[in-house]
Amino acid sequence: MDTMLTNAVGIINTVLWDYLLIYALLGMGLFFSFYLGLPQITKFGTALRTVFGGLFQKNRPSEKNGQSLSQFQALAVAVSAQIGTGNVAGVATAITAGGPGAVFWMWLSALLGMGTIFSEAVLAQKYRVNVNGKYVGGPAFYITYGLSGKIGGKPARILAGVFAVAIILALGFIGNATQSNSIASAATVAFAVEPLWVGLAVAALAGLIIVGGINRIAAVTQFVVPFMAVLYILCAVIILWQFSEQIIPTLEHIFIAAFNPAALGGGLAGIGMKEAVRFGVARGLFSNEAGMGSTPHAHAAADVKHPVQQGMAAFIGVFIDTILVCTATALIILLTKADSLGLQGAAVTQEAFNIAFGTTGQKLLAVCLTFFAFTTIIGWYYFGESNIRYLFKGRYLGVYRLMVLTAIVLGTLGKVDFVWSLSDMFNGFMVIPNLIALFLLRREVREIFDDYLKQKKSGRPLSYPYQ
């Protein structure tokens, strides 16, 4: 029975991810990028100034009464979920399976994904609602309120319900179990700590944070996320300095292998361009979550004058996750040649740290991985909470929190290969309704963006008729 279930989930995932959703996500990114005039390029400088320029401004009244977050806080919550074990293990898998060329396609998927995530955040801002004094939004909300007039109220609610249930299962429960398992595995190897004690400690710390809701989650992530990203990138910079003579040849390998892996010979002889594209695009999209419908929940809670401002913050999140952190992992692996040792997954990155830092490397990566996975746990918890609020209007939050904490502990107690597969399957189930909604609401995204451009051109202060 177990074998049959495992095989069935494997077949579903093959159909969803190998033949459908990767191409749909990439296509959606391509469409929105050019439909909107490449805002991720034309507005990148504006986005940086908007997000980081007001970082030290005093809180607005809506932040103080707990209704919403600052733009940076919302970005921090989103990035806390985006930067996870995929940035360590996922990038390693892409390189070992698709060769160095996968890194180029990972960059391209991130660039196009910025167009998709921009649109998600804009819609999340427009269709957010006030539930029990909290601004809440996300795909379930823009599907319900945005599509009711297009496909009918009942079909829209059904589609939103499918998304809400799928994300609660995929991220809130199953996903958080896999993240805690990654923390336990790293701590056990590096510090010889029993997995159960790790699970209890992670659950206790997570419980202290999530019981305070989105405001406490944001207060934690706005400090932890910059710290963990800087720490990891600093490690990459040190390795770049150690292997500086290999930087140019490594970059050449990435670009050559992206289009003609066989030209490099050696172990790449059996890797074709198809594998480089497939694994690079897949790992890039899985890491930054563009089009998957997760991060809009954080961006919906941001206190901004116009939805486009948070759309720009959203694509900065993709830049941080993929262009900075994933690239750091890729260079660490390629410069140390850890990908040529026959290892798989996180073990590749771990060996790269060992080569660069000796025995300290294992512990250093364990610390980074713990930060990555833990912040993902609290980010994913909130995404699930938003959909509990959608389904039950704020009821049963205590039950949901208890179930999440239980999943965190159980996730540390055994192998979770099948659980990862289940998570991938429910991820697929939540992507489908989100992509349908994004395409059907494309004109609204364009209208909101045009309104922003018109206001900026006129020089008058930004405003938007929020509900």
Side-chain angles (χ1 to χ4, degrees), residues 44-58 60 70-72 75 309 313 316:
F44 187 79
T46 301
L48 289 176
R49 291 191 297 273
T50 300
V51 172
F52 299 107
L55 187 56
F56 301 104
Q57 291 180 354
K58 293 182 179 179
R60 295 172 181 170
S70 71
Q71 187 180 36
F72 179 77
L75 174 62
Q309 291 178 298
I316 292 297

Side-chain angles (χ1 to χ4, degrees), residues 124-142:
Q125 277 276 312
K126 177 177 180 178
Y127 289 105
R128 70 184 186 183
V129 299
N130 190 314
V131 178
N132 297 332
K134 301 285 185 181
Y135 285 133
V136 184
F141 295 87
Y142 58 69

Side-chain angles (χ1 to χ4, degrees), residues 103-122:
V103 178
F104 171 84
W105 298 107
M106 182 180 70
W107 292 335
L108 182 62
S109 71
L111 179 63
L112 297 179
M114 289 180 186
T116 307
I117 210 164
F118 172 87
S119 305
E120 290 179 289
V122 166

Side-chain angles (χ1 to χ4, degrees), residues 324-409:
L324 294 183
V325 179
C326 284
T327 299
T329 300
L331 292 177
I332 287 169
I333 291 170
L334 293 173
L335 288 172
T336 59
K337 296 183 169 48
D339 58 313
S340 63
L341 302 177
L343 301 172
Q344 298 293 324
V348 179
T349 312
Q350 187 176 72
E351 183 58 28
F353 268 73
N354 290 340
I355 293 170
F357 300 108
T359 56
T360 304
Q362 191 176 68
K363 293 180 173 59
L364 188 58
L365 181 60
V367 170
C368 292
L369 190 60
T370 297
F371 275 118
F372 287 179
F374 183 77
T375 56
T376 297
I377 285 173
I378 59 177
W380 281 358
Y381 158 81
Y382 175 68
F383 299 162
E385 179 189 288
S386 296
N387 287 277
I388 292 290
R389 290 183 181 276
Y390 169 80
L391 292 172
F392 303 111
K393 309 303 179 187
R395 300 188 300 273
Y396 308 117
L397 282 179
V399 175
Y400 170 66
R401 287 168 180 164
L402 182 61
M403 293 176 69
V404 169
L405 296 178
T406 302
I408 289 170
V409 176

Side-chain angles (χ1 to χ4, degrees), residues 73-97:
Q73 285 177 321
L75 174 62
V77 174
V79 173
S80 74
Q82 290 170 301
I83 299 179
T85 56
N87 295 76
V88 175
V91 175
T93 299
I95 292 172
T96 54

